Amino acid sequence: MKTILAFVTLHTPDYPAARAYFTEVLGFEPTEERPGANAFVQASGAGLAIREDREARPPLGAGVTAYFIVPDLENYHAQLARRGAEIVEPPHNMPFGRTFTVKTPDGHRLGFYEA
């Protein structure tokens, strides 16, 4: 069976704080919102959502990194550093391109690479 990844949902015990982090620190723009959840879907069709789960306990997402393509990696890295993002892997080269990784306050790892 062939599958297509549609979106990933990250669970958080503190939805207001997670939403603020994704919008104010990472600069993500919500495309769909409802109480306790919202989605960030881009033109490529793939999406990321956050959803309140008051029973979830950090660190969440151990062993998984979700990657996002950015047009200007060095500039985006500098913006996130200024905004206080916890950068767990600084910019470095990988076979697929230049990349860096942040860890959200809930413990999710998000990677960014330039393509």
Side-chain angles (χ1 to χ4, degrees):
M1 171 180 30
K2 293 184 179 181
T3 62
I4 297 172
L5 180 64
F7 65 92
V8 173
T9 298
L10 304 178
H11 295 258
T12 177
D14 188 347
Y15 173 76
R19 186 190 185 288
Y21 179 83
F22 277 86
T23 58
E24 297 169 18
V25 177
L26 299 181
F28 284 26
E29 296 178 12
T31 55
E32 176 187 332
E33 294 195 66
R34 60 179 191 252
N38 71 253
F40 308 98
V41 179
Q42 300 302 317
S44 67
L48 176 76
I50 56 174
R51 177 175 291 163
E52 184 173 57
D53 178 349
R54 293 185 182 177
E55 294 180 21
R57 295 290 175 256
L60 302 172
V64 176
T65 303
Y67 281 88
F68 300 85
I69 297 170
V70 294
D72 183 347
L73 183 98
E74 297 298 334
N75 184 44
Y76 188 58
H77 173 264
Q79 287 176 23
L80 297 192
R82 281 194 305 273
R83 294 178 190 157
E86 182 181 351
I87 298 169
V88 295
E89 287 184 319
H92 61 284
N93 294 322
M94 292 294 286
F96 54 85
R98 193 146 175 81
T99 183
F100 73 93
T101 305
V102 302
K103 185 167 69 170
T104 71
D106 285 325
H108 297 105
R109 289 181 182 247
L110 306 176
F112 300 92
Y113 72 97
E114 189 169 331

